[in-house]
Amino acid sequence: MPDKIPTPGSPVRGSKTGKPIMALFDLLGRSWALGVIWQLSNGPKTFRDLQSACEGVSPTVLNRRLKELKASAIVAHDGNGYHLTDTGKALFSLLQPFGPWAIDWAKTLEERDTLPDA
Amino acid sequence: MPDKIPTPGSPVRGSKTGKPIMALFDLLGRSWALGVIWQLSNGPKTFRDLQSACEGVSPTVLNRRLKELKASAIVAHDGNGYHLTDTGKALFSLLQPFGPWAIDWAKTLEERDTLPDA
DNA sequence: CGAACTCGCTATCATTTCGATAGCAAGTGG
DNA sequence: CCACTTGCTATCGAAATGATAGCGAGTTCG
Protein backbone atom coordinates (compact mmCIF):
# COMPACT_ATOMS: atom_id res chain seq x y z
CA MET A 1 0.00 0.00 0.00
CA PRO A 2 2.28 2.73 -1.24
CA ASP A 3 -0.16 5.63 -1.05
CA LYS A 4 -1.92 6.94 2.01
CA ILE A 5 -4.31 9.78 1.40
CA PRO A 6 -4.81 12.22 4.26
CA THR A 7 -8.43 12.24 5.37
CA PRO A 8 -9.87 14.02 8.37
CA GLY A 9 -10.83 11.47 10.99
CA SER A 10 -8.15 8.92 10.23
CA PRO A 11 -4.47 8.86 11.06
CA VAL A 12 -2.21 10.15 8.35
CA ARG A 13 1.45 10.76 7.79
CA GLY A 14 2.71 12.26 10.97
CA SER A 15 -0.72 12.74 12.49
CA LYS A 16 -2.23 10.09 14.70
CA THR A 17 -5.20 12.14 15.85
CA GLY A 18 -6.85 12.71 12.48
CA LYS A 19 -7.92 16.21 13.52
CA PRO A 20 -9.17 17.97 10.39
CA ILE A 21 -6.54 20.69 10.52
CA MET A 22 -3.78 18.11 10.83
CA ALA A 23 -5.14 16.04 7.96
CA LEU A 24 -5.32 19.22 5.90
CA PHE A 25 -1.77 20.19 6.81
CA ASP A 26 -0.63 16.72 5.88
CA LEU A 27 -2.40 16.91 2.53
CA LEU A 28 -1.02 20.35 1.75
CA GLY A 29 2.38 19.54 3.21
CA ARG A 30 3.40 17.48 0.24
CA SER A 31 5.41 18.60 -2.71
CA TRP A 32 3.44 20.59 -5.26
CA ALA A 33 0.06 20.22 -3.54
CA LEU A 34 -0.13 23.95 -2.89
CA GLY A 35 1.38 24.73 -6.28
CA VAL A 36 -1.21 22.66 -8.11
CA ILE A 37 -4.08 24.42 -6.35
CA TRP A 38 -2.45 27.75 -7.10
CA GLN A 39 -2.10 26.96 -10.80
CA LEU A 40 -5.62 25.62 -11.13
CA SER A 41 -7.05 28.85 -9.77
CA ASN A 42 -6.49 30.31 -13.25
CA GLY A 43 -8.93 27.88 -14.79
CA PRO A 44 -8.92 24.28 -16.00
CA LYS A 45 -5.71 22.72 -17.20
CA THR A 46 -4.82 19.41 -18.79
CA PHE A 47 -2.37 17.08 -17.12
CA ARG A 48 0.41 18.27 -19.38
CA ASP A 49 -0.52 21.92 -19.00
CA LEU A 50 -0.28 21.51 -15.26
CA GLN A 51 3.02 19.78 -15.62
CA SER A 52 4.59 22.66 -17.49
CA ALA A 53 2.88 25.28 -15.33
CA CYS A 54 4.49 23.58 -12.35
CA GLU A 55 7.97 23.84 -13.79
CA GLY A 56 8.15 20.31 -15.07
CA VAL A 57 7.06 18.45 -11.98
CA SER A 58 7.41 14.75 -12.67
CA PRO A 59 4.27 12.92 -13.81
CA THR A 60 4.74 10.48 -10.95
CA VAL A 61 4.34 13.17 -8.35
CA LEU A 62 1.75 15.15 -10.26
CA ASN A 63 -0.44 12.13 -10.62
CA ARG A 64 -0.14 11.29 -6.93
CA ARG A 65 -1.05 14.82 -5.91
CA LEU A 66 -4.01 14.86 -8.29
CA LYS A 67 -5.27 11.55 -6.93
CA GLU A 68 -5.05 12.88 -3.39
CA LEU A 69 -6.69 16.17 -4.26
CA LYS A 70 -9.48 14.40 -6.12
CA ALA A 71 -10.03 12.05 -3.18
CA SER A 72 -10.22 15.16 -1.01
CA ALA A 73 -12.84 16.82 -3.21
CA ILE A 74 -10.55 19.75 -3.90
CA VAL A 75 -9.98 19.12 -7.59
CA ALA A 76 -12.00 17.25 -10.20
CA HIS A 77 -11.45 16.09 -13.75
CA ASP A 78 -13.75 16.31 -16.75
CA GLY A 79 -13.62 16.86 -20.49
CA ASN A 80 -12.01 20.27 -20.00
CA GLY A 81 -9.20 18.96 -17.86
CA TYR A 82 -8.47 19.34 -14.17
CA HIS A 83 -10.17 22.10 -12.24
CA LEU A 84 -10.94 23.24 -8.71
CA THR A 85 -14.21 22.11 -7.18
CA ASP A 86 -16.30 24.58 -5.18
CA THR A 87 -14.50 23.26 -2.12
CA GLY A 88 -11.20 23.80 -3.87
CA LYS A 89 -12.16 27.33 -4.84
CA ALA A 90 -13.03 28.09 -1.24
CA LEU A 91 -9.66 26.77 -0.18
CA PHE A 92 -7.94 28.89 -2.80
CA SER A 93 -9.68 31.99 -1.52
CA LEU A 94 -7.92 31.35 1.80
CA LEU A 95 -4.67 30.78 -0.03
CA GLN A 96 -4.80 33.86 -2.21
CA PRO A 97 -3.48 36.29 0.44
CA PHE A 98 -0.29 34.23 0.60
CA GLY A 99 0.73 35.72 -2.76
CA PRO A 100 1.18 39.32 -1.61
CA TRP A 101 2.43 38.11 1.77
CA ALA A 102 5.19 36.10 0.09
CA ILE A 103 6.34 39.21 -1.77
CA ASP A 104 6.61 41.21 1.45
CA TRP A 105 8.34 38.29 3.07
CA ALA A 106 10.87 38.16 0.25
CA LYS A 107 11.60 41.87 0.80
CA THR A 108 12.02 41.35 4.53
CA LEU A 109 14.49 38.55 4.00
CA GLU A 110 16.38 40.49 1.37
CA GLU A 111 16.76 43.47 3.68
CA ARG A 112 17.87 41.26 6.53
CA ASP A 113 20.48 39.63 4.33
CA THR A 114 21.62 42.91 2.81
CA LEU A 115 22.13 44.58 6.18
CA PRO A 116 23.67 41.78 8.22
CA ASP A 117 24.48 44.14 11.10
CA ALA A 118 21.48 45.16 13.13
CA MET B 1 24.99 19.51 1.50
CA PRO B 2 21.99 17.64 2.81
CA ASP B 3 19.76 20.63 3.57
CA LYS B 4 18.47 23.21 1.15
CA ILE B 5 16.40 25.96 2.69
CA PRO B 6 13.75 27.53 0.46
CA THR B 7 14.44 31.20 -0.04
CA PRO B 8 12.62 33.56 -2.37
CA GLY B 9 14.89 34.45 -5.25
CA SER B 10 16.78 31.23 -5.46
CA PRO B 11 15.82 27.84 -6.84
CA VAL B 12 14.45 25.41 -4.31
CA ARG B 13 13.07 21.92 -4.23
CA GLY B 14 10.83 21.64 -7.22
CA SER B 15 10.98 25.34 -8.02
CA LYS B 16 13.55 26.69 -10.43
CA THR B 17 12.11 30.18 -10.71
CA GLY B 18 12.50 31.20 -7.08
CA LYS B 19 9.24 33.15 -7.21
CA PRO B 20 8.36 34.12 -3.64
CA ILE B 21 5.09 32.20 -3.62
CA MET B 22 6.85 29.07 -4.87
CA ALA B 23 9.61 29.37 -2.30
CA LEU B 24 6.94 29.80 0.37
CA PHE B 25 4.99 26.78 -0.87
CA ASP B 26 8.17 24.77 -0.84
CA LEU B 27 8.97 25.84 2.70
CA LEU B 28 5.46 25.10 3.93
CA GLY B 29 5.17 21.96 1.83
CA ARG B 30 7.40 19.95 4.14
CA SER B 31 6.29 17.68 6.89
CA TRP B 32 5.26 19.48 10.06
CA ALA B 33 6.17 22.99 8.86
CA LEU B 34 2.54 24.08 8.99
CA GLY B 35 1.97 22.12 12.19
CA VAL B 36 4.87 23.81 13.95
CA ILE B 37 3.61 27.27 13.05
CA TRP B 38 0.13 26.26 14.19
CA GLN B 39 1.39 25.04 17.55
CA LEU B 40 3.58 28.06 18.15
CA SER B 41 0.63 30.38 17.71
CA ASN B 42 -0.35 29.46 21.27
CA GLY B 43 2.82 30.98 22.66
CA PRO B 44 6.45 29.98 23.11
CA LYS B 45 7.35 26.33 23.47
CA THR B 46 10.55 24.47 24.20
CA PHE B 47 11.94 21.97 21.72
CA ARG B 48 10.47 19.10 23.69
CA ASP B 49 7.14 20.83 24.23
CA LEU B 50 6.89 21.28 20.49
CA GLN B 51 7.80 17.67 19.97
CA SER B 52 4.98 16.41 22.12
CA ALA B 53 2.53 19.02 20.81
CA CYS B 54 3.29 17.70 17.34
CA GLU B 55 2.41 14.15 18.24
CA GLY B 56 5.96 13.00 18.78
CA VAL B 57 7.52 14.25 15.58
CA SER B 58 11.10 13.01 15.46
CA PRO B 59 13.78 15.42 16.69
CA THR B 60 15.55 15.02 13.36
CA VAL B 61 12.65 16.47 11.44
CA LEU B 62 11.67 18.98 14.07
CA ASN B 63 15.16 20.39 14.15
CA ARG B 64 15.29 20.61 10.37
CA ARG B 65 11.98 22.46 10.23
CA LEU B 66 13.06 24.82 13.01
CA LYS B 67 16.30 25.61 11.22
CA GLU B 68 14.41 26.37 8.04
CA LEU B 69 11.80 28.47 9.79
CA LYS B 70 14.47 30.40 11.66
CA ALA B 71 16.38 31.00 8.44
CA SER B 72 13.11 32.28 6.99
CA ALA B 73 12.52 34.70 9.87
CA ILE B 74 9.27 32.98 10.76
CA VAL B 75 10.32 31.58 14.12
CA ALA B 76 13.02 32.59 16.58
CA HIS B 77 14.55 31.13 19.69
CA ASP B 78 15.38 32.77 23.00
CA GLY B 79 15.41 32.02 26.70
CA ASN B 80 11.69 31.29 26.68
CA GLY B 81 11.91 28.74 23.88
CA TYR B 82 10.78 28.88 20.30
CA HIS B 83 8.23 31.46 19.25
CA LEU B 84 6.78 33.13 16.18
CA THR B 85 8.41 36.34 14.98
CA ASP B 86 6.24 39.25 13.85
CA THR B 87 6.58 37.87 10.35
CA GLY B 88 5.53 34.47 11.63
CA LYS B 89 2.54 35.93 13.43
CA ALA B 90 1.46 37.64 10.24
CA LEU B 91 1.74 34.34 8.43
CA PHE B 92 -0.30 32.64 11.12
CA SER B 93 -3.04 35.21 10.76
CA LEU B 94 -3.38 34.05 7.15
CA LEU B 95 -3.33 30.47 8.30
CA GLN B 96 -5.91 30.78 11.03
CA PRO B 97 -9.00 30.58 8.77
CA PHE B 98 -7.82 27.13 7.69
CA GLY B 99 -8.97 25.78 11.05
CA PRO B 100 -12.71 26.34 10.60
CA TRP B 101 -12.39 25.58 6.90
CA ALA B 102 -10.88 22.19 7.68
CA ILE B 103 -13.84 21.36 9.90
CA ASP B 104 -16.33 22.17 7.14
CA TRP B 105 -14.19 20.22 4.70
CA ALA B 106 -14.25 17.22 7.04
CA LYS B 107 -18.06 17.40 7.12
CA THR B 108 -18.26 17.62 3.33
CA LEU B 109 -16.08 14.56 2.91
CA GLU B 110 -17.99 12.65 5.55
CA GLU B 111 -21.30 13.34 3.83
CA ARG B 112 -19.89 12.40 0.47
CA ASP B 113 -18.59 9.12 1.85
CA THR B 114 -21.77 8.40 3.81
CA LEU B 115 -24.00 8.89 0.77
CA PRO B 116 -21.95 7.20 -1.94
CA ASP B 117 -24.84 7.40 -4.44
CA ALA B 118 -25.35 10.84 -5.89
C1' DC C 1 -7.34 2.58 -43.23
C1' DG C 2 -3.37 4.54 -40.94
C1' DA C 3 0.07 7.92 -39.71
C1' DA C 4 0.49 11.77 -36.63
C1' DC C 5 -0.85 13.86 -32.83
C1' DT C 6 -2.54 14.75 -27.89
C1' DC C 7 -3.82 13.18 -23.38
C1' DG C 8 -3.39 10.81 -19.17
C1' DC C 9 -1.00 8.31 -17.30
C1' DT C 10 2.50 3.82 -15.59
C1' DA C 11 7.30 1.68 -15.03
C1' DT C 12 11.76 2.02 -13.48
C1' DC C 13 15.29 3.53 -10.65
C1' DA C 14 18.44 6.94 -8.32
C1' DT C 15 18.27 10.50 -4.84
C1' DT C 16 16.26 12.84 -0.98
C1' DT C 17 13.46 13.13 2.92
C1' DC C 18 11.15 11.22 6.75
C1' DG C 19 10.55 8.57 10.95
C1' DA C 20 12.17 6.13 14.97
C1' DT C 21 15.40 5.25 18.46
C1' DA C 22 19.53 6.08 21.15
C1' DG C 23 22.17 9.08 23.40
C1' DC C 24 25.24 13.19 24.34
C1' DA C 25 26.93 18.02 25.83
C1' DA C 26 25.63 22.04 28.35
C1' DG C 27 23.15 24.23 31.91
C1' DT C 28 20.59 24.22 36.51
C1' DG C 29 19.46 22.91 41.19
C1' DG C 30 20.06 20.36 45.13
C1' DC D 1 28.57 14.95 42.72
C1' DC D 2 23.95 13.58 41.08
C1' DA D 3 19.67 14.15 39.00
C1' DC D 4 17.14 16.55 35.74
C1' DT D 5 15.90 19.41 31.72
C1' DT D 6 16.96 21.32 27.21
C1' DG D 7 18.48 21.14 22.63
C1' DC D 8 20.02 18.86 19.95
C1' DT D 9 23.28 14.94 16.76
C1' DA D 10 24.05 10.01 15.02
C1' DT D 11 22.43 6.10 12.84
C1' DC D 12 19.65 3.55 9.88
C1' DG D 13 15.53 1.54 7.62
C1' DA D 14 11.31 3.11 5.20
C1' DA D 15 8.92 6.16 2.33
C1' DA D 16 8.50 10.11 -0.82
C1' DT D 17 10.35 12.57 -4.58
C1' DG D 18 12.53 13.50 -9.13
C1' DA D 19 13.94 12.22 -13.74
C1' DT D 20 13.31 9.72 -17.86
C1' DA D 21 11.15 6.50 -21.01
C1' DG D 22 7.29 5.05 -23.04
C1' DC D 23 2.45 2.99 -23.53
C1' DG D 24 -2.70 2.68 -24.60
C1' DA D 25 -6.73 5.22 -25.86
C1' DG D 26 -8.88 8.70 -28.46
C1' DT D 27 -9.02 12.19 -32.29
C1' DT D 28 -7.81 14.25 -36.59
C1' DC D 29 -6.56 14.52 -41.18
C1' DG D 30 -5.65 12.56 -45.62
Side-chain angles (χ1 to χ4, degrees), chain A:
Chain A
M1 203 200 296
D3 285 1
K4 269 183 304 184
I5 297 182
T7 304
S10 70
V12 285
R13 182 186 67 162
S15 175
K16 297 181 185 69
T17 65
K19 278 190 302 230
I21 189 66
M22 289 304 164
L24 179 62
F25 283 172
D26 184 14
L27 181 70
L28 300 181
R30 297 179 176 199
S31 80
W32 285 107
L34 289 164
V36 164
I37 295 170
W38 194 261
Q39 292 299 338
L40 286 182
S41 70
N42 296 318
K45 283 185 163 52
T46 67
F47 189 93
R48 282 163 200 242
D49 283 347
L50 257 182
Q51 228 191 314
S52 53
C54 293
E55 303 172 37
V57 55
S58 77
T60 322
V61 171
L62 180 56
N63 188 40
R64 270 201 287 257
R65 284 306 88 81
L66 287 171
K67 271 183 194 167
E68 292 161 3
L69 292 171
K70 277 189 287 186
S72 306
I74 289 169
V75 311
H77 187 224
D78 64 12
N80 292 320
Y82 289 95
H83 58 92
L84 294 178
T85 61
D86 287 344
T87 301
K89 285 175 191 164
L91 180 57
F92 174 73
S93 74
L94 301 185
L95 219 48
Q96 203 159 12
F98 284 67
W101 186 89
I103 293 172
D104 282 354
W105 171 62
K107 282 180 203 156
T108 301
L109 289 184
E110 195 181 348
E111 280 168 25
R112 186 194 61 175
D113 297 340
T114 306
L115 311 166
D117 55 310

